[in-house]
Amino acid sequence: MAAPRQRGGFVTIHISTHGDVLRHTGRRMAISAGLTIVMTATTLLLHFGTDFSATVTVGYIVGFGLCIATLISAAVSGALSYRSALLMQELTLTRSELSRISQTDQLTGLFNRRGFDDAAALALTSARKRSVPVTVFLCDIDHFKSINDRFGHESGDKVLVEVADVLRQLARKEGVLVARYGGEEFAGLMVGVTRDEAEQYAEALRITCAAREIPIGENLERVTISLGFTVSCADAELSELMRIADRALYAAKRRGRDRVVQADDQSLAA
């Protein structure tokens, strides 16, 4: 059954079944008809008075009735339409908020995997039109499991938030799309930068993370990240770019962590 709910200063109707739709429609029709009758009767009484035996020409009654009916119908329709527009606005905002939530990592505030994939697809389309290269990078927090084991998952969450903050700050400065891609793994995408510029950004990210002191308990801890990236033409598919960056990331881990590896044959074989 439909039940009214208070939100944003006015009551909204929760409609979840076809019966709710019919009841809501019936109520609005009844309200519209009732208001029309009351307003018409009131206007006629005010204009003609209560002398029902008074003589008035038929043409005058017809013309006056049509004008009153039109004005009242427009007023009632406008009021109900305004109410419907408010409900539609609320629905649109709710859908927008749900979409944002579904694409956002709740812990860090960055894109989640779904949000990143959707935004990256749009960025790739733009890059193809402009014929500019695309850089994709992946990074992992080094020894993250050990952090959770030593200090607990709450401290692990704090580390994730701190690293995400580093990514967010550099992303705003450099115009990079960043996301928490899963677990302790973060992803990024840059459009229109050279390989050297991409490497400089990756190194800046690694150095900034390593330099940040994170308060955990009574101590200040430092964490490092391993990072792999690839630079390719915009015609490449996102899934393939992610696989190449992922191989570069694991190469960075094999080579001792806390380093950046480009996705070329020489570095991946090292």
Side-chain angles (χ1 to χ4, degrees), residues 91-252:
L91 178 60
T92 300
L93 293 175
T94 300
R95 285 177 174 173
S96 177
E97 179 64 13
L98 289 175
S99 176
R100 185 193 67 80
I101 291 173
S102 72
Q103 295 187 333
T104 303
D105 176 59
Q106 298 305 298
L107 177 64
T108 64
L110 299 179
F111 276 126
N112 58 20
R113 183 168 185 162
R114 175 182 176 182
F116 178 81
D117 287 348
D118 289 347
L122 294 176
L124 283 174
T125 300
S126 174
R128 291 188 186 106
K129 292 179 180 178
R130 295 158 51 196
S131 299
V132 295
V134 173
T135 299
V136 169
F137 69 81
L138 284 172
C139 65
D140 258 359
I141 299 174
D142 295 330
H143 306 294
F144 184 73
K145 183 178 183 302
S146 175
I147 295 172
N148 278 331
D149 292 342
R150 289 165 56 202
F151 303 109
H153 289 281
E154 184 176 345
S155 296
D157 287 348
K158 185 178 293 186
V159 170
L160 288 170
V161 170
E162 291 288 338
V163 172
D165 188 55
V166 173
L167 267 76
R168 184 183 295 106
Q169 291 181 19
L170 289 178
R172 288 172 180 169
K173 180 180 178 181
E174 303 292 340
V176 185
L177 175 68
V178 293
R180 181 186 176 193
Y181 210 61
E184 70 274 21
E185 188 174 66
F186 295 85
L189 184 143
M190 308 174 74
V191 174
V193 298
T194 65
R195 186 176 296 273
D196 288 342
E197 291 171 335
E199 184 175 12
Q200 290 172 8
Y201 172 80
E203 281 292 346
L205 179 59
R206 182 190 66 81
I207 293 171
T208 305
C209 283
R212 175 165 291 204
E213 294 182 329
I214 303 174
I216 298 179
E218 298 179 354
N219 301 317
L220 293 175
E221 301 289 335
R222 297 178 187 269
V223 299
T224 61
I225 63 171
S226 299
L227 194 148
F229 74 94
T230 181
V231 180
S232 177
C233 64
D235 291 333
E237 294 295 327
L238 177 63
S239 58
E240 179 61 20
L241 294 175
M242 296 300 290
R243 282 193 293 270
I244 296 172
D246 191 51
R247 290 201 299 269
L249 169 60
Y250 278 94

Side-chain angles (χ1 to χ4, degrees), residues 25-41 43 67-85:
T25 302
R27 281 194 296 268
R28 304 201 75 161
M29 291 175 64
I31 291 172
S32 179
L35 287 175
T36 301
I37 292 172
V38 170
M39 293 176 69
T40 302
T43 303
C67 291
I68 292 300
T70 300
L71 291 174
I72 292 176
S73 176
V76 172
S77 176
L80 294 178
S81 295
Y82 177 74
R83 175 60 178 166
S84 296

